[in-house]
Short mmCIF file of all heavy atoms in Angstrom, two decimals:
data_model
loop_
_atom_site.label_atom_id
_atom_site.label_comp_id
_atom_site.label_asym_id
_atom_site.label_seq_id
_atom_site.Cartn_x
_atom_site.Cartn_y
_atom_site.Cartn_z
N SER G 68 9.88 13.14 198.67
CA SER G 68 9.58 11.73 198.24
C SER G 68 9.09 10.89 199.42
O SER G 68 8.73 9.69 199.18
CB SER G 68 10.80 11.13 197.59
OG SER G 68 11.84 11.15 198.62
N LYS G 69 8.99 11.46 200.62
CA LYS G 69 8.47 10.66 201.80
C LYS G 69 6.99 10.96 202.07
O LYS G 69 6.46 10.51 203.05
CB LYS G 69 9.31 10.99 203.02
CG LYS G 69 10.77 10.56 202.91
CD LYS G 69 11.39 10.61 204.29
CE LYS G 69 12.86 10.50 204.15
NZ LYS G 69 13.51 11.79 203.75
N LEU G 70 6.35 11.73 201.19
CA LEU G 70 5.01 12.08 201.43
C LEU G 70 4.05 10.94 201.70
O LEU G 70 3.24 10.88 202.64
CB LEU G 70 4.41 13.02 200.30
CG LEU G 70 3.06 13.49 200.44
CD1 LEU G 70 2.89 14.35 201.71
CD2 LEU G 70 2.55 14.24 199.23
N HIS G 71 4.22 9.87 200.86
CA HIS G 71 3.30 8.75 201.02
C HIS G 71 3.46 8.10 202.38
O HIS G 71 2.40 7.65 202.99
CB HIS G 71 3.51 7.71 199.90
CG HIS G 71 4.88 7.13 199.83
ND1 HIS G 71 5.96 7.80 199.33
CD2 HIS G 71 5.30 5.86 200.19
CE1 HIS G 71 7.06 7.04 199.39
NE2 HIS G 71 6.70 5.85 199.93
N LYS G 72 4.66 8.10 202.94
CA LYS G 72 4.85 7.52 204.25
C LYS G 72 4.20 8.41 205.32
O LYS G 72 3.61 7.97 206.26
CB LYS G 72 6.35 7.33 204.58
CG LYS G 72 6.94 6.21 203.76
CD LYS G 72 8.39 5.97 204.16
CE LYS G 72 9.00 4.94 203.25
NZ LYS G 72 10.45 5.02 203.21
N ALA G 73 4.49 9.77 205.19
CA ALA G 73 3.91 10.70 206.14
C ALA G 73 2.35 10.55 206.18
O ALA G 73 1.71 10.65 207.26
CB ALA G 73 4.35 12.11 205.80
N LEU G 74 1.77 10.47 204.98
CA LEU G 74 0.30 10.44 204.97
C LEU G 74 -0.22 9.09 205.52
O LEU G 74 -1.32 9.07 206.11
CB LEU G 74 -0.21 10.64 203.53
CG LEU G 74 0.12 12.05 202.96
CD1 LEU G 74 -0.51 12.22 201.55
CD2 LEU G 74 -0.46 13.15 203.84
N ARG G 75 0.45 8.00 205.27
CA ARG G 75 0.02 6.73 205.80
C ARG G 75 -0.09 6.78 207.28
O ARG G 75 -1.07 6.26 207.91
CB ARG G 75 1.02 5.63 205.42
CG ARG G 75 0.41 4.58 204.49
CD ARG G 75 1.48 3.61 204.00
NE ARG G 75 1.55 3.71 202.59
CZ ARG G 75 2.67 3.36 201.85
NH1 ARG G 75 3.75 3.00 202.48
NH2 ARG G 75 2.68 3.42 200.58
N LYS G 76 0.81 7.52 207.94
CA LYS G 76 0.72 7.64 209.42
C LYS G 76 -0.42 8.42 209.89
O LYS G 76 -0.89 8.29 211.04
CB LYS G 76 1.99 8.38 209.89
CG LYS G 76 3.26 7.55 209.82
CD LYS G 76 4.44 8.23 210.51
CE LYS G 76 5.79 7.61 210.09
NZ LYS G 76 6.80 8.59 209.97
N ARG G 77 -0.95 9.30 209.00
CA ARG G 77 -2.08 10.15 209.41
C ARG G 77 -3.44 9.52 208.97
O ARG G 77 -4.46 10.13 209.26
CB ARG G 77 -2.03 11.52 208.68
CG ARG G 77 -0.63 12.16 208.82
CD ARG G 77 -0.34 12.70 210.20
NE ARG G 77 -1.42 13.54 210.74
CZ ARG G 77 -1.46 14.90 210.52
NH1 ARG G 77 -0.62 15.42 209.69
NH2 ARG G 77 -2.42 15.64 211.01
N ALA G 78 -3.43 8.42 208.29
CA ALA G 78 -4.61 7.89 207.61
C ALA G 78 -5.77 7.58 208.57
O ALA G 78 -6.97 7.62 208.18
CB ALA G 78 -4.24 6.67 206.82
N GLU G 79 -5.50 7.21 209.84
CA GLU G 79 -6.56 6.86 210.73
C GLU G 79 -7.27 8.09 211.32
O GLU G 79 -8.37 8.01 211.82
CB GLU G 79 -6.05 6.00 211.94
CG GLU G 79 -5.33 4.73 211.50
CD GLU G 79 -6.22 3.83 210.62
OE1 GLU G 79 -7.42 3.76 210.82
OE2 GLU G 79 -5.70 3.27 209.62
N GLU G 80 -6.62 9.31 211.15
CA GLU G 80 -7.25 10.50 211.75
C GLU G 80 -8.38 11.13 210.82
O GLU G 80 -9.05 11.97 211.23
CB GLU G 80 -6.22 11.62 211.84
CG GLU G 80 -5.09 11.37 212.89
CD GLU G 80 -3.96 12.39 212.71
OE1 GLU G 80 -4.28 13.53 212.61
OE2 GLU G 80 -2.81 11.95 212.66
N PHE G 81 -8.35 10.73 209.54
CA PHE G 81 -9.21 11.33 208.56
C PHE G 81 -10.07 10.31 207.74
O PHE G 81 -9.68 9.20 207.63
CB PHE G 81 -8.40 12.21 207.60
CG PHE G 81 -7.64 13.32 208.33
CD1 PHE G 81 -6.31 13.12 208.63
CD2 PHE G 81 -8.25 14.44 208.71
CE1 PHE G 81 -5.57 14.05 209.31
CE2 PHE G 81 -7.53 15.46 209.40
CZ PHE G 81 -6.19 15.29 209.69
N ASP G 82 -11.15 10.84 207.20
CA ASP G 82 -11.94 10.05 206.24
C ASP G 82 -11.35 10.24 204.83
O ASP G 82 -11.38 9.33 204.00
CB ASP G 82 -13.39 10.47 206.28
CG ASP G 82 -14.04 10.24 207.65
OD1 ASP G 82 -13.84 9.18 208.22
OD2 ASP G 82 -14.67 11.20 208.22
N TYR G 83 -10.93 11.49 204.57
CA TYR G 83 -10.36 11.81 203.27
C TYR G 83 -9.13 12.65 203.41
O TYR G 83 -9.04 13.58 204.22
CB TYR G 83 -11.38 12.59 202.38
CG TYR G 83 -12.54 11.72 201.97
CD1 TYR G 83 -13.72 11.67 202.72
CD2 TYR G 83 -12.49 11.05 200.73
CE1 TYR G 83 -14.77 10.92 202.25
CE2 TYR G 83 -13.56 10.24 200.31
CZ TYR G 83 -14.70 10.26 201.10
OH TYR G 83 -15.76 9.44 200.64
N ILE G 84 -8.10 12.37 202.56
CA ILE G 84 -6.97 13.27 202.51
C ILE G 84 -6.91 13.71 201.02
O ILE G 84 -6.89 12.87 200.12
CB ILE G 84 -5.64 12.57 202.92
CG1 ILE G 84 -5.64 12.12 204.35
CG2 ILE G 84 -4.45 13.45 202.64
CD1 ILE G 84 -4.49 11.36 204.86
N VAL G 85 -6.92 15.03 200.84
CA VAL G 85 -6.87 15.57 199.44
C VAL G 85 -5.49 16.28 199.29
O VAL G 85 -5.18 17.14 200.07
CB VAL G 85 -8.01 16.55 199.22
CG1 VAL G 85 -7.92 17.13 197.81
CG2 VAL G 85 -9.39 15.97 199.48
N ILE G 86 -4.73 15.76 198.37
CA ILE G 86 -3.39 16.35 198.17
C ILE G 86 -3.42 17.37 197.03
O ILE G 86 -3.84 17.00 195.90
CB ILE G 86 -2.36 15.27 197.79
CG1 ILE G 86 -2.43 14.10 198.77
CG2 ILE G 86 -0.94 15.85 197.72
CD1 ILE G 86 -1.59 12.85 198.36
N ASP G 87 -3.06 18.61 197.37
CA ASP G 87 -2.85 19.61 196.27
C ASP G 87 -1.38 19.62 195.94
O ASP G 87 -0.48 19.61 196.80
CB ASP G 87 -3.29 20.98 196.81
CG ASP G 87 -3.21 22.05 195.70
OD1 ASP G 87 -3.28 21.67 194.53
OD2 ASP G 87 -3.08 23.22 196.07
N SER G 88 -1.07 19.53 194.64
CA SER G 88 0.29 19.29 194.25
C SER G 88 0.89 20.43 193.40
O SER G 88 0.10 21.19 192.83
CB SER G 88 0.45 17.93 193.50
OG SER G 88 -0.33 17.99 192.34
N PRO G 89 2.18 20.51 193.25
CA PRO G 89 2.82 21.58 192.50
C PRO G 89 2.70 21.25 191.00
O PRO G 89 2.44 20.08 190.65
CB PRO G 89 4.27 21.56 192.90
CG PRO G 89 4.51 20.12 193.38
CD PRO G 89 3.21 19.69 193.96
N PRO G 90 2.82 22.21 190.10
CA PRO G 90 2.71 21.95 188.67
C PRO G 90 4.02 21.31 188.15
O PRO G 90 4.78 21.91 187.41
CB PRO G 90 2.47 23.42 188.05
CG PRO G 90 3.12 24.28 189.08
CD PRO G 90 2.98 23.64 190.40
N ALA G 91 4.22 20.07 188.58
CA ALA G 91 5.50 19.43 188.23
C ALA G 91 5.23 17.91 188.23
O ALA G 91 5.18 17.28 189.28
CB ALA G 91 6.56 19.77 189.29
N ALA G 92 5.08 17.38 187.03
CA ALA G 92 4.78 15.90 186.91
C ALA G 92 5.93 15.03 187.44
O ALA G 92 5.66 13.92 187.91
CB ALA G 92 4.41 15.60 185.47
N THR G 93 7.13 15.53 187.25
CA THR G 93 8.26 14.59 187.62
C THR G 93 8.90 14.91 188.95
O THR G 93 9.86 14.34 189.38
CB THR G 93 9.34 14.68 186.46
OG1 THR G 93 9.69 16.04 186.30
CG2 THR G 93 8.86 14.16 185.16
N ALA G 94 8.29 15.83 189.71
CA ALA G 94 8.83 16.12 191.04
C ALA G 94 8.63 14.97 191.97
O ALA G 94 7.63 14.26 191.86
CB ALA G 94 8.04 17.41 191.58
N PRO G 95 9.55 14.76 192.88
CA PRO G 95 9.53 13.69 193.86
C PRO G 95 8.18 13.70 194.62
O PRO G 95 7.58 12.67 194.86
CB PRO G 95 10.71 13.84 194.72
CG PRO G 95 11.67 14.60 193.93
CD PRO G 95 10.91 15.45 192.99
N VAL G 96 7.75 14.88 195.02
CA VAL G 96 6.53 15.02 195.79
C VAL G 96 5.33 14.57 195.01
O VAL G 96 4.37 14.02 195.61
CB VAL G 96 6.42 16.42 196.44
CG1 VAL G 96 5.84 17.41 195.43
CG2 VAL G 96 5.58 16.40 197.75
N THR G 97 5.27 14.83 193.74
CA THR G 97 4.16 14.38 192.87
C THR G 97 4.15 12.86 192.79
O THR G 97 3.12 12.26 192.95
CB THR G 97 4.25 15.02 191.50
OG1 THR G 97 4.28 16.42 191.63
CG2 THR G 97 3.03 14.68 190.66
N ALA G 98 5.34 12.28 192.58
CA ALA G 98 5.40 10.82 192.49
C ALA G 98 5.00 10.14 193.80
O ALA G 98 4.26 9.19 193.83
CB ALA G 98 6.86 10.41 192.15
N SER G 99 5.36 10.79 194.91
CA SER G 99 4.95 10.31 196.23
C SER G 99 3.48 10.39 196.46
O SER G 99 2.85 9.52 197.04
CB SER G 99 5.80 11.02 197.26
OG SER G 99 5.74 10.31 198.52
N ALA G 100 2.91 11.59 196.04
CA ALA G 100 1.47 11.71 196.16
C ALA G 100 0.70 10.68 195.39
O ALA G 100 -0.26 10.08 195.85
CB ALA G 100 1.08 13.11 195.66
N LEU G 101 1.20 10.36 194.17
CA LEU G 101 0.54 9.38 193.29
C LEU G 101 0.70 7.99 193.87
O LEU G 101 -0.12 7.05 193.68
CB LEU G 101 1.02 9.47 191.87
CG LEU G 101 0.63 10.72 191.10
CD1 LEU G 101 1.32 10.81 189.77
CD2 LEU G 101 -0.95 10.69 190.92
N ARG G 102 1.78 7.74 194.60
CA ARG G 102 1.98 6.46 195.27
C ARG G 102 1.03 6.22 196.43
O ARG G 102 0.62 5.12 196.70
CB ARG G 102 3.46 6.39 195.67
CG ARG G 102 3.86 5.05 196.16
CD ARG G 102 5.34 4.98 196.29
NE ARG G 102 5.72 3.82 197.06
CZ ARG G 102 6.93 3.50 197.38
NH1 ARG G 102 7.94 4.31 197.03
NH2 ARG G 102 7.22 2.44 198.02
N ALA G 103 0.69 7.35 197.10
CA ALA G 103 -0.18 7.25 198.27
C ALA G 103 -1.66 7.17 197.85
O ALA G 103 -2.47 6.67 198.62
CB ALA G 103 0.03 8.48 199.13
N ALA G 104 -2.03 7.67 196.66
CA ALA G 104 -3.41 7.96 196.31
C ALA G 104 -4.23 6.71 195.95
O ALA G 104 -3.66 5.79 195.31
CB ALA G 104 -3.50 9.01 195.24
N HIS G 105 -5.53 6.73 196.24
CA HIS G 105 -6.46 5.81 195.64
C HIS G 105 -6.93 6.38 194.33
O HIS G 105 -7.28 5.58 193.44
CB HIS G 105 -7.64 5.60 196.57
CG HIS G 105 -7.28 5.02 197.94
ND1 HIS G 105 -7.08 5.87 199.01
CD2 HIS G 105 -7.00 3.77 198.33
CE1 HIS G 105 -6.74 5.12 200.05
NE2 HIS G 105 -6.70 3.80 199.66
N LEU G 106 -7.04 7.69 194.22
CA LEU G 106 -7.59 8.37 193.02
C LEU G 106 -6.81 9.60 192.67
O LEU G 106 -6.50 10.38 193.57
CB LEU G 106 -9.10 8.74 193.34
CG LEU G 106 -9.83 9.56 192.32
CD1 LEU G 106 -10.02 8.73 191.03
CD2 LEU G 106 -11.15 10.03 192.84
N ALA G 107 -6.37 9.73 191.41
CA ALA G 107 -5.76 10.88 190.89
C ALA G 107 -6.81 11.65 190.11
O ALA G 107 -7.42 11.10 189.20
CB ALA G 107 -4.52 10.54 190.05
N LEU G 108 -6.92 12.95 190.36
CA LEU G 108 -7.81 13.83 189.64
C LEU G 108 -6.98 14.79 188.92
O LEU G 108 -6.05 15.43 189.50
CB LEU G 108 -8.79 14.57 190.60
CG LEU G 108 -9.83 13.77 191.31
CD1 LEU G 108 -10.71 14.65 192.17
CD2 LEU G 108 -10.75 12.95 190.33
N VAL G 109 -7.19 14.90 187.59
CA VAL G 109 -6.38 15.76 186.70
C VAL G 109 -7.27 16.87 186.17
O VAL G 109 -7.93 16.60 185.18
CB VAL G 109 -5.72 15.00 185.58
CG1 VAL G 109 -4.79 15.90 184.79
CG2 VAL G 109 -4.96 13.76 186.11
N PRO G 110 -7.28 18.06 186.76
CA PRO G 110 -8.08 19.15 186.17
C PRO G 110 -7.51 19.59 184.85
O PRO G 110 -6.25 19.80 184.74
CB PRO G 110 -8.03 20.28 187.17
CG PRO G 110 -6.79 19.98 187.98
CD PRO G 110 -6.53 18.52 187.92
N VAL G 111 -8.36 19.74 183.82
CA VAL G 111 -7.85 20.22 182.57
C VAL G 111 -8.79 21.31 182.01
O VAL G 111 -10.01 21.19 182.10
CB VAL G 111 -7.78 19.15 181.47
CG1 VAL G 111 -6.58 18.23 181.73
CG2 VAL G 111 -9.00 18.32 181.33
N ILE G 112 -8.19 22.38 181.53
CA ILE G 112 -8.96 23.43 180.86
C ILE G 112 -9.15 22.96 179.40
O ILE G 112 -8.16 22.57 178.77
CB ILE G 112 -8.20 24.80 180.99
CG1 ILE G 112 -8.29 25.21 182.46
CG2 ILE G 112 -8.85 25.81 180.11
CD1 ILE G 112 -7.47 26.43 182.77
N PRO G 113 -10.37 23.03 178.87
CA PRO G 113 -10.53 22.52 177.53
C PRO G 113 -9.94 23.47 176.48
O PRO G 113 -10.64 24.18 175.87
CB PRO G 113 -12.07 22.39 177.35
CG PRO G 113 -12.64 23.21 178.49
CD PRO G 113 -11.63 23.41 179.51
N SER G 114 -8.64 23.40 176.38
CA SER G 114 -7.91 24.12 175.33
C SER G 114 -6.77 23.23 174.90
O SER G 114 -6.17 22.49 175.70
CB SER G 114 -7.33 25.41 175.93
OG SER G 114 -5.95 25.58 175.62
N PRO G 115 -6.48 23.19 173.61
CA PRO G 115 -5.44 22.31 173.11
C PRO G 115 -4.12 22.48 173.85
O PRO G 115 -3.49 21.50 174.15
CB PRO G 115 -5.31 22.63 171.61
CG PRO G 115 -6.61 23.27 171.30
CD PRO G 115 -7.09 23.94 172.54
N LEU G 116 -3.74 23.72 174.09
CA LEU G 116 -2.45 23.98 174.70
C LEU G 116 -2.38 23.30 176.06
O LEU G 116 -1.35 22.74 176.44
CB LEU G 116 -2.27 25.47 174.97
CG LEU G 116 -2.35 26.44 173.72
CD1 LEU G 116 -2.02 27.82 174.10
CD2 LEU G 116 -1.49 25.93 172.66
N ASP G 117 -3.45 23.32 176.82
CA ASP G 117 -3.48 22.76 178.13
C ASP G 117 -3.42 21.20 178.05
O ASP G 117 -2.78 20.55 178.89
CB ASP G 117 -4.70 23.15 178.91
CG ASP G 117 -4.54 24.55 179.50
OD1 ASP G 117 -4.46 25.51 178.68
OD2 ASP G 117 -4.43 24.70 180.71
N LEU G 118 -4.11 20.63 177.03
CA LEU G 118 -4.09 19.19 176.92
C LEU G 118 -2.67 18.70 176.61
O LEU G 118 -2.18 17.73 177.18
CB LEU G 118 -5.05 18.79 175.82
CG LEU G 118 -6.48 18.52 176.23
CD1 LEU G 118 -7.22 17.92 175.04
CD2 LEU G 118 -6.54 17.64 177.44
#
Side-chain angles (χ1 to χ4, degrees):
S68 59
K69 298 194 192 75
L70 180 61
H71 60 286
K72 289 187 185 155
L74 293 183
R75 245 173 243 153
K76 286 187 197 146
R77 311 289 306 278
E79 301 307 320
E80 294 169 48
F81 299 98
D82 300 311
Y83 289 91
I84 297 176
V85 181
I86 308 170
D87 184 24
S88 63
T93 54
V96 79
T97 304
S99 193
L101 289 171
R102 189 165 167 185
H105 301 96
L106 173 66
L108 293 179
V109 184
V111 287
I112 291 173
S114 130
L116 305 186
D117 281 67
L118 272 188

